[in-house]
Amino acid sequence: MTSTEIAAVRPARTPRRSGPRSTLTRSSGLGLGIAMIWFSALVLIPLAAVVVTAIDGGWDVFWTTITNGQTAAAIKLTVFTAAGVTAVNVVMGPLIAWVLVRDRFWGKSVLEVLIDIPFALPTIVAGLVLLSLYGTDSPIGIDIANQRPAVFLAFLFVTLPFVVRMVQPVLEELEHDVEEAAASLGASRFTTFRRIILPSLTPAITAGAALSFARGVSEYGSLVLLSGNLPFKTEVTSVRILSSIENDNVAGAAAVATVLLAISLAVIVVLDLIQRRVAARG
Amino acid sequence: MQIRSRAALAAALVGALALSACAPGGASSSEEDDSNTIHIVGFAVPEAANKNIATEFTKTPEGEGVKFQTSYGPSGDQSRAVAAGLKADYVHFSVPTDVTRLVDEGLVADDWDAGDNKGVVSRSVVVFGVRDGNPKNIKTWADLVKPGVEIVTPNPASSGAARWNALAAYGQVISDGGTEKEATEYVNKFFKNVVSLPSSGRDATTAFLGGTGDVLMAYENEAILAAQNDEGFEYVLPETSLLIENAGAILEDASEPSQAWLDFVLSDEGQKQFALTGFRPIRDDVDYGGTVEGAADPSNPFPEVGTLLTVDEDFGGWDEVSTKFFDEENGLIFEAILGAGLSLE
């Protein structure tokens, strides 16, 4: 992202007659080739295989799987919870990033490291921790085991770092004198934030939001102990997929996965559109 | 710039070379080694027993110099992995359907369950795990469906092993002279009291030890093994229970010592090792020394069950069970889970 911007800003070099320019093209072509092979092997081909498996089962299987009440309820719960968690992250993420970048306080470097813990922790360990803290034997008296808030909490836990880590570098790059100029021209702090800071942060926030939504939709390990997997209540889609696989219904599992893919893709596209609109206004 | 692009080219080449080095193909073990190795693929629980049996087996003339490669995990996942090409000579699964999957794939012989043991290599029974001192005084199946009793059971939809519990809940009503309708009603009530349906037996135990629920639907061998590993909970053996029969078989193209291994597993010596880790021996006359650590009463570890149901005699076998109880669309147990969920809405 930033590197391409820098490349665009850099004045174009005058082309020379001899090799260097073509060498550059060759090497960048090679780079593109490697990137595409890498991307295909890891992402495109597996995803295509999932969709093909779903289609292979036939339209009937696909439709009955998706419209099955329990599956529909699980999809609904997963998507709505992920959306809610993303909304929370959009507010809290920039706030945490702001504190980390603009403020100096004791223990800041420790906090810096702690933000990434949800990234690094195996999710099942996270599940154990959440169960001991917010389960029936909660030392702080908060018992949300086997209820919907458990799903929300688990999603919050694993998606925390995304927006923070996206916004932080952008915030660090922001020029202070722009804000000072706005202030000297009589803009209130809020106006400065709304008209100057927010538009520059928007791309990072939306990218983080898209990541956190997609991560939430696919979460399994951290909530599996705390949520209780109760149908129509706390059962998420990944558990439904697991059940289909256990019953040798691979087509059904792929069908649910395909729906999740489509939803995640749609959300990413919508967020991108929002980001362009906000950025254009800024 | 030129230098940089060359460096990039070099780096790319190195990367490509490194990738090709990672590619599979260089299987380092020689043929000779492989013919004397037994690949065990199984569900997680018998790992400890199998390790001890393997130690004993290598002391026998047939087992001399035999090496073992083992892989343990959730029963269904392991079975699917073998169907998908995981190398196995001997498989040991929680439910027979995980073996019949391999029969359908042509990996295991049709007559795998034709022997005296009917394909069963280890046994156990369904028990109730309870909190220390049994504060809710849970002793019978009727106690489970009382208001206010919270049950934790692994989810029969995502865990093959959990199906034993659900069947036991249904079957005990019938064996007490109830009708099918009454049994269905009982199962519906049972699932209304379920507060947590973790995906696997392991997760269910973890959730229970983490404070969820009053009763854990468990198996005697797992309760004993948990006690041996100091994470125990008390367990109650109900008057009527279901006999759990874990299936084992060797594959069609198993390595040479595999048949001898299977025979040894079924022998008194092999069954003794199972008993010491909490399984009930497949024959009543196996001498395991009389005490099993971790059992509710170590000197009488496997008390006689009042009425012991079996899948074959009381439910008409696994094929029948799979369609009647666990069909995704209208299986009796899944409908009960669904009904309980709907009533929560």
Side-chain angles (χ1 to χ4, degrees), chain A residues 230-231, chain B residues 144-145 149 151-157 162-163 165-167 169-170 184-197 217 326 332-341 343-344:
Chain A
L230 299 168
Chain B
L144 297 187
V145 293
V149 173
I151 304 171
V152 179
T153 175
N155 189 345
R163 297 180 176 187
N165 311 334
L167 284 179
Y170 181 91
T184 310
E185 274 165 15
Y186 178 88
V187 170
N188 287 342
K189 268 205 270 191
F190 176 92
F191 279 104
K192 281 205 173 72
N193 271 2
V194 168
V195 291
S196 178
L197 280 166
M217 298 306 295
F326 302 109
L332 202 147
I333 298 294
F334 288 0
E335 296 223 314
I337 297 174
L338 210 64
S343 70
L344 293 168

Side-chain angles (χ1 to χ4, degrees), chain B residues 116-139:
Chain B
D116 287 345
N117 64 320
K118 298 204 167 57
V120 177
V121 296
S122 59
R123 301 199 315 193
S124 194
V125 294
V126 175
V127 297
F128 308 150
V130 292
R131 302 268 164 224
D132 281 343
N134 199 355
K136 296 236 170 175
N137 198 18
I138 287 156
K139 292 207 171 72

Side-chain angles (χ1 to χ4, degrees), chain A residues 10 13 16 19-20 23-24 26-27 30-31 34 38 64-65 68-70 73 76 124 128 131-132 135-138 145-146 148 220 224-235 239-240 242-250 252, chain B residues 1-2 4-6 8-9 12-13 16 19 75-77 80 98 101 131 150 155-161 163 194-199 202-204 206-213 326 328-329 334 337-342 344-345:
Chain A
R10 210 181 273 159
R13 291 166 64 249
R16 272 186 286 169
T23 320
L24 186 69
R26 203 184 311 154
S27 63
L30 187 71
I34 290 174
W38 192 252
T64 46
T65 306
N68 167 304
Q70 205 179 338
K76 206 168 90 180
I124 195 77
L128 264 178
L131 179 70
S132 57
T136 319
D137 297 344
S138 168
N146 314 319
R148 280 203 175 153
Y220 172 76
V224 81
L225 291 174
L226 191 66
S227 80
N229 299 338
L230 299 168
F232 296 96
K233 195 177 165 199
T234 60
E235 190 179 42
V239 176
R240 286 300 294 159
L242 199 74
S243 303
S244 292
I245 289 176
E246 187 61 43
N247 289 295
D248 288 340
N249 179 2
V250 179
Chain B
M1 205 68 212
Q2 200 177 349
R4 186 178 296 178
S5 61
R6 273 203 198 144
L9 187 69
L13 281 173
L19 270 181
S75 192
D77 288 352
R80 279 185 294 275
D98 284 333
R101 176 182 294 121
R131 302 268 164 224
E150 300 186 334
N155 189 345
S158 55
S159 158
R163 297 180 176 187
V194 168
V195 291
S196 178
L197 280 166
S199 302
R202 181 67 263 182
D203 287 349
T206 308
F208 182 71
L209 292 174
T212 305
F326 302 109
E328 267 194 301
E329 285 303 310
F334 288 0
I337 297 174
L338 210 64
L342 280 172
L344 293 168
E345 283 282 82

Side-chain angles (χ1 to χ4, degrees), chain B residues 17 19 34 46 64 66 69 130 144 146 155 160 164 171 180 221 251 256 277-279 285 318 344:
Chain B
L17 281 173
L19 270 181
D34 224 34
E64 209 179 334
V66 171
Q69 290 266 336
V130 292
L144 297 187
K146 283 180 180 161
N155 189 345
W164 298 108
E180 295 222 336
N221 63 299
L251 276 73
E256 195 250 324
T277 54
F279 286 93
D285 57 355
W318 272 102
L344 293 168

